[in-house]
Structure formats: C-alpha cells, structure tokens
Amino acid sequence: MIRGRDGSQKKHLIPSLCVGFLFLVFLVLYYGSFFGTQGNYANSAIEHGTKFSRTIGWSNVDNSELGKSDESIFSQEGDDGPVPKSFPVCDDRHSELIPCLDRNLIYQTRLKLDLSVMEHYERHCPQPERHYNCLIPPPAGYKVPIKWPKSRDEVWQVNIPHTHLAHEKSDQNWMVVKGDKIVFPGGGTHFHYGAGKYISHLANMLNFSNNILNNEGRVRSVLDVGCGVASFGGYLLSSDIIAMSLAPNDVHQNQIQFALERGIPAYLGVLGTKRLPYPSRSFEFAHCSRCRIDWLQRDGILLLELDRLLRPGGYFAYSSPEAYAQDEEDLRIWKQMSALVERMCWKIAAKKNQTVIWVKPLTNDCYMKREPGTQPPLCKPNNDPDAVWGVPMEACITPYSEQIQRDSGSGLAPWPARLTTPPPRLADFGISTDMFEKDMELWQQRVDSYWSLLGSKIRPNTLRNVMDMKANLGSFAASLKDVPVWVMNVVPEDGPNTLKIVYDRGLIGTTHDWCEAFSTYPRTYDLLHAWTVFSDIEKKGCSVEDLLLEMDRILRPTGFVIVRDKKPVIDFVKKYLTALLWESVATTDAQANSEDEEVVLVIQKKLWLVDEGTKDSA
C-alpha cells in the first residue's frame, strides 16, 4: 500500500514539476527582458515583443537564422498573423532612448569595455530579448518643431528640456534660454564672436576668394568632429557647404539632439576603436575646435582615421590651446603632434592665433620618399579603406589609388556641378555615364510624383531633415536639390558600397544595418524614404515590425514616411498603421500585368501626447 501510494505521488509530481518549470520560464520571458523596468506599459511591451519574436523572428550578427522561414511573411494571405490593434507606450523615462547607444544597457549587461579608448561611446545594440517593443513617447508638452531657417537660431525648450549646456557653456555663447525657447547665438569654444566670423577667418587664412570657405565650390563636404551644438555646420550651409557634425552621446549628451532639432545635419558617433561609417576620401575639410580628442594616443590612430577620410589636398583645421599656448604641457603636445603630421606628409597651410590648418598631399609621392621604417606605416594592400561597418581602425596611412596618383587629385567637379557630374569612382561598380544619367532621370520623376502625392500636406518649409534609407547612388537626394532640405543617405552595410558615390556627388550619408537601431535621437527626421528596405530586411530574417517601431522612433510627429516596395509589402505595412498611430495619405497602384511593379504608400505620423497613461491625439 505504501509503495503504491508513493508511485501514485510520483506520477502526479512529474506533471506538476513540468507545469511549474514552464511557469518559471514564462515569468523569466515576461519580466526578465526589459532592463528591470516596471509599469504596465513596459510589461505589455515585453509580452507583445516576445510573442512576435517567436512568430517572425529577430536577427542580428549572432542569430541571423533565428525565426527565418522559407515562406515570405508578405505573401501570407488572411489576417492570421500577429497584427496588434495598438502598441504599448514606453515609460516616459525612455523618451530620448537610443537603443544602440544606451549607457544603461552597458551597465546592466556588464560589458567589459575600455573607457580609455571610448569604447563605451560606441554602438552596443541590445539582444532581441532586450528590445523595447513600444512607442517612444514625446516629452510632456511637445510642440511641432520650429521650421527652417528660423530653427537654426531657436528651438522649443519643451522639445529638448535640457538647459545644463546653456549654464555650462554660458561664457562661450553656445546657447541661451529665453522664455519658452532655447536660442543659439552661434558661439563656440573657440569662436565666442560667432561661427560666421570664425568661418570667414578660416577662409582668410587660406586666402580663399572673398573669404568664403567653399573656395568657389572646391570645398563642399566637411567633417566637424566634437561639434557641440553644430553651430559651425549650421553657418556653413549659407556657403553651399554641408557638414557632417559628429559628436558622441557623452557628458554633453544632448548636443546632437539640439543640432538635429535645429535642422542641421548631424550624427552620433565617436573616434574610438572602430572606423567612422564613412568611406575613404569623403571630405575636403575636417574641423576640430577644442574637441577634447587626444590625437597622439595609440600611435596617432585617430588622426590617421581623419587622414583616411580626407580627400587629396584636404584640410584639417585645428583650434586648440596646443596650437598657440606656451605652457610646458601644451608645447610638448604641439611638438609631438607636429612631428606626427610631418611623418604623415601633412603640411601647414596656415597658422594664426588659436588655429592651425594642415593640408594633406595630393599624391603618394611624399609617402614614397620617406625613410624605410618610418612610422606610421602605409596600410597593407589588402586593407580596404572603404570597409567601415564594425571595422577596427588601424594606425596606418591610406595610400591613394592609381587614378588619384595619375590625376593628382580626386578629379571631382566643383559644387554644384559635382552633383550631376559622373564621378570617377563610378567605374568601381561598372556603372557607365549613361546608366548614371538614367538613374538621375528616374529618381527625378519619382520625386516629382512623391511631391504630387504629398500635395497640400506640405508647404515649402514643412520638411527639413530627410533620410533616404536605401540611397544607392544618391539620386533621390540629388532630385531634392532645389528644396530647402538636407538628406541623410543611408547605404546598407551588406550591399554595394555606393556611399563613396554619394559623397563624391557632394552629398552626405552613412552606412547602416537596418536590423539594428539607427544612431540618432527619437523625433529627428521629418521624412523617411524606404525604397525596398522592408523586402531587404525580410531576406535577412529580421523583424519587419521591429523596423516599423524604429522608424516611428526616429520620425518627428506629423512627419512622413514614403514606402516604395512590392504590393504585398505595402499591404503588410498598412495593417500596422492603426497600431503605430500613423495614417495613410496616398497610395499608387501597381501597373496591370506586372508582378514586380513597385507600389508607393505615403504615410503621416500623428502627433500624440501621453496623458496619465493614455494616448491623446493633439
């Protein structure tokens, strides 16, 4: 009897243990993946994200096969898929979340990073179980941003409720709080009297005509390292110069957010251990005004990264105490830096007061004349200077191609002819002049069609910050040349590296993997153009819903999305409009008897505010 009772208990115990184990697994999935965040919004976000990731799958470098299916999710018929009626709203503490630059992620996952080389300011993306599957809320009282060009000089304080920079930099005229606005007088650490006068001073140092830095169109693309609130880049625009203003999400973490709110091109990035996401020979001019970078560290590896990015004959303007101060430490740094750039074959083009400007050689001749064993060495022939996504920097000099050596320069036309002149590097892709011109014609027609579809929804100053999520040759951006916008041209990291063509045309952009979050703050773009982007990431096994949420994160309220893709993709995206609080503005139909014809869907994001845990349209 006792033995029989023990056997019966064991039979009942095993299923009970299984149920208990499954319950524990559920609790871990439900509560353990959201950085310990509490609250109804966070919990419902995890629940929804977990269900969806099991159905479609998430993807990154480590688990690209997870959740992939032979059947396209876009071709599935019926409404059996996990289409939510609404998305939860993230906690308002995450209103400025940048998933791949989230320092909380670093702390919570205990990543072992070398702070001395700025690894903690580089991209570290969350694993799928740590994704925020919710809508990022705007700050309380958010207003539609002030329009360009007025926005260059003032923004709504409520949109970026951070005034610590105004107090910290009060003696440098960076920004001033005035009532309900933050005003930008154009000052900087080394240009207290305004960026405009400082830019004219740089042009005067180089003897450029009329003290205009664009040098009759020869200087078009500028890299501003440690840009602050990007007043330098903002004031360059009036000279037909476009700057990529670059700064990390550091102790002055909102400086890039201010730049983008102002309508100035900017990107969150850092000179750390990885190459910047730009191809070689992208910029005619690099600038560092008291950017707090140790250019001598690790055998000058950071300065050599600038060397990779500068075009033949490109300039580096350096405004810093080392250029003019006379104390012992500054003199030591200046002596060592001067020796380093001399070995790199840079020459002093001008030096005055607080600023020195170096110029890079036009050819390889100087490199060939160096003594054997001179440091830094030339990069090895197998070192691709245009490979940038996650590629470590190397302390070596990038030599020029045979074409540049032969032409004594990059052979680019001055701006604005540069925009439509076929650049020499087209040959790297086997693209003929005829193909290049046809691409321009095609995209001009498409952009004209887009503007017709947008119709009364936009006025001349409605749009400012635009992103082309799959830029190819940059012809979408080139077609907007007469519109007062700037375009962040994004080239996928796993496709043809056409970003160098984009830069050769006098445009700017970056490389990116759309299976990950983009390096920008929420609410920073007015228009996103997604040409076959959804089809591409589905092939990689990434979550389409994850991309939709990311697009919502970076899109400004009342901003627009243009999706150009196959009809099944368009139909799929339409299912999510209600959940995302987006609304359809217009759509075009595919041509009859053409399965591959692309359909266009134009969407607008509603302005909604959080009020005691509810979403209210404004």
Side-chain angles (χ1 to χ4, degrees):
M1 293 291 291
I2 297 176
R3 275 198 206 107
R5 205 163 48 231
D6 284 346
S8 176
Q9 287 175 344
K10 289 179 180 177
K11 288 180 181 178
H12 289 290
L13 180 60
I14 291 173
S16 299
L17 289 173
C18 290
V19 171
F21 176 77
L22 290 173
F23 182 72
L24 287 172
V25 169
F26 173 79
L27 287 177
V28 170
L29 289 173
Y30 192 84
Y31 290 105
S33 64
F34 204 43
F35 302 108
T37 304
Q38 297 179 352
N40 293 332
Y41 294 147
N43 291 338
S44 58
I46 302 167
E47 179 183 25
H48 174 74
T50 304
K51 289 178 181 177
F52 192 86
S53 64
R54 285 199 303 267
T55 307
I56 292 183
W58 303 89
S59 173
N60 57 26
V61 175
D62 299 321
N63 65 349
S64 59
E65 298 301 316
L66 180 64
K68 291 183 73 172
S69 170
D70 293 334
E71 184 179 4
S72 169
I73 62 170
F74 299 130
S75 62
Q76 295 174 3
E77 296 181 0
D79 295 323
D80 297 331
V83 180
K85 293 181 179 179
S86 64
F87 282 111
V89 178
C90 297
D91 189 286
D92 57 9
R93 290 174 297 170
H94 307 303
S95 68
E96 295 172 353
L97 175 71
I98 313 168
C100 294
L101 296 172
D102 182 9
R103 279 171 289 179
N104 288 328
L105 174 69
I106 293 174
Y107 301 146
Q108 290 157 4
T109 55
R110 300 180 181 178
L111 294 176
K112 296 180 180 179
L113 304 175
D114 189 341
L115 275 61
S116 67
V117 294
M118 308 290 279
E119 273 191 302
H120 54 306
Y121 292 140
E122 294 179 331
R123 287 174 58 85
H124 302 282
C125 295
Q127 291 298 306
E129 65 272 13
R130 290 182 174 270
H131 285 193
Y132 287 75
N133 301 295
C134 47
L135 300 176
I136 301 295
Y142 179 87
K143 298 181 179 181
V144 174
I146 294 171
K147 304 303 182 184
W148 183 267
K150 194 175 180 181
S151 63
R152 188 196 71 171
D153 301 323
E154 61 182 30
V155 301
W156 296 117
Q157 182 181 340
V158 71
N159 289 6
I160 311 179
H162 305 287
T163 58
H164 60 280
L165 271 177
H167 301 303
E168 186 174 338
K169 302 292 184 179
S170 59
D171 61 329
Q172 298 171 15
N173 226 18
W174 277 30
M175 48 191 280
V176 179
V177 178
K178 287 189 176 180
D180 58 357
K181 295 177 181 176
I182 296 175
V183 177
F184 302 88
T189 307
H190 267 78
F191 39 98
H192 307 299
Y193 299 106
K197 291 184 178 180
Y198 174 72
I199 291 167
S200 296
H201 172 66
L202 295 178
N204 179 265
M205 289 177 65
L206 293 169
N207 295 317
F208 290 168
S209 61
N210 300 317
N211 292 338
I212 299 175
L213 195 61
N214 73 1
N215 192 25
E216 299 178 341
R218 297 180 186 87
V219 174
R220 164 63 180 172
S221 306
V222 170
L223 177 65
D224 187 16
V225 182
C227 63
V229 294
S231 289
F232 181 74
Y235 278 77
L236 283 173
L237 290 165
S238 60
S239 299
D240 273 342
I241 296 175
I242 190 164
M244 178 66 81
S245 297
L246 181 82
N249 186 27
D250 60 6
V251 293
H252 302 315
Q253 57 183 298
N254 301 102
Q255 51 193 345
I256 290 297
Q257 191 178 19
F258 281 118
L260 290 164
E261 183 75 10
R262 297 173 69 185
I264 299 171
Y267 184 83
L268 277 163
V270 65
L271 281 166
T273 67
K274 304 289 178 59
R275 284 178 172 176
L276 294 177
Y278 319 122
S280 66
R281 310 197 306 272
S282 292
F283 302 96
E284 281 94 20
F285 201 99
H287 175 252
C288 160
S289 175
R290 197 66 177 270
C291 55
R292 302 189 304 164
I293 292 175
D294 179 6
W295 297 106
L296 296 173
Q297 65 172 283
R298 293 175 283 159
D299 301 317
I301 194 169
L302 305 185
L303 205 59
L304 289 160
E305 173 66 357
L306 280 192
D307 183 82
R308 181 184 72 85
L309 296 174
L310 280 175
R311 299 195 195 279
Y315 299 97
F316 176 45
Y318 182 58
S319 295
S320 182
E322 294 85 15
Y324 63 90
Q326 297 298 310
D327 63 81
E328 184 176 343
E329 179 62 13
D330 287 329
L331 287 171
R332 180 191 68 79
I333 295 173
W334 172 252
K335 183 177 180 180
Q336 292 184 13
M337 195 164 174
S338 297
L340 171 61
V341 298
E342 184 177 357
R343 295 195 301 273
M344 291 168 57
C345 292
W346 290 10
K347 304 293 184 183
I348 291 181
K351 186 174 185 292
K352 188 175 181 180
N353 299 333
Q354 303 178 352
T355 304
V356 60
I357 303 177
W358 285 286
V359 61
K360 184 181 175 181
L362 284 168
T363 67
N364 292 325
D365 293 349
C366 175
Y367 305 144
M368 299 299 103
K369 294 176 182 178
R370 300 190 311 164
E371 293 292 330
T374 299
Q375 298 296 317
L378 295 181
C379 297
K380 296 178 180 178
N382 62 354
N383 184 313
D384 182 359
D386 299 323
V388 296
W389 188 249
V391 176
M393 289 188 291
E394 292 189 39
C396 59
I397 298 171
T398 304
Y400 296 132
S401 65
E402 293 181 4
Q403 176 259 323
I404 287 181
Q405 178 69 18
R406 183 177 61 252
D407 297 344
S408 296
S410 56
L412 298 177
W415 179 266
R418 181 180 301 184
L419 183 66
T420 54
T421 302
R425 288 199 276 189
L426 277 178
D428 296 354
F429 304 93
I431 299 174
S432 66
T433 297
D434 184 58
M435 294 166 65
F436 177 76
E437 291 175 349
K438 286 182 177 179
D439 186 71
M440 285 194 297
E441 292 176 6
L442 174 64
W443 280 105
Q444 186 63 64
Q445 294 170 3
R446 289 176 172 179
V447 168
D448 290 344
S449 174
Y450 293 160
W451 253 240
S452 297
L453 291 172
L454 285 166
S456 61
K457 288 283 185 178
I458 61 168
R459 295 191 174 96
N461 66 347
T462 299
L463 306 176
R464 175 59 186 169
N465 302 349
V466 176
M467 177 185 288
D468 190 1
M469 298 174 67
K470 185 182 175 184
N472 195 29
L473 302 180
S475 293
F476 168 83
S479 300
L480 294 171
K481 61 183 182 301
D482 297 324
V483 183
V485 301
W486 67 272
V487 181
M488 178 67 78
N489 293 278
V490 181
V491 171
E493 48 79 33
D494 61 343
N497 193 1
T498 54
L499 191 59
K500 53 188 175 183
I501 304 301
V502 170
Y503 273 94
D504 284 354
R505 300 183 72 175
L507 305 168
I508 61 170
T510 186
T511 304
H512 187 62
D513 179 359
W514 283 114
C515 292
E516 299 178 356
F518 193 77
S519 293
T520 193
Y521 280 89
R523 303 171 301 280
T524 47
Y525 285 89
D526 298 298
L527 173 65
L528 306 177
H529 177 242
W531 171 50
T532 67
V533 174
F534 289 97
S535 293
D536 291 344
I537 70 159
E538 192 216 3
K539 294 173 185 175
K540 297 174 68 173
C542 304
S543 166
V544 177
E545 184 176 280
D546 205 23
L547 177 58
L548 286 168
L549 286 166
E550 172 62 6
M551 292 168 70
D552 182 79
R553 184 185 72 86
I554 67 179
L555 186 65
R556 283 173 166 176
T558 72
F560 297 89
V561 178
I562 299 175
V563 181
R564 186 181 199 95
D565 219 310
K566 296 181 180 180
K567 188 176 185 304
V569 175
I570 300 298
D571 292 340
F572 186 92
V573 172
K574 283 181 177 179
K575 296 177 182 179
Y576 286 85
L577 296 184
T578 301
L580 289 162
L581 296 176
W582 294 357
E583 61 182 1
S584 175
V585 172
T587 186
T588 63
D589 295 326
Q591 292 182 0
N593 304 319
S594 178
E595 293 182 1
D596 296 329
E597 180 67 22
E598 293 166 351
V599 179
V600 176
L601 173 64
V602 180
I603 303 161
Q604 185 171 26
K605 177 179 176 178
K606 296 179 183 179
L607 171 58
W608 55 268
L609 302 174
V610 176
D611 180 20
E612 297 181 356
T614 62
K615 287 181 278 191
D616 294 332
S617 295

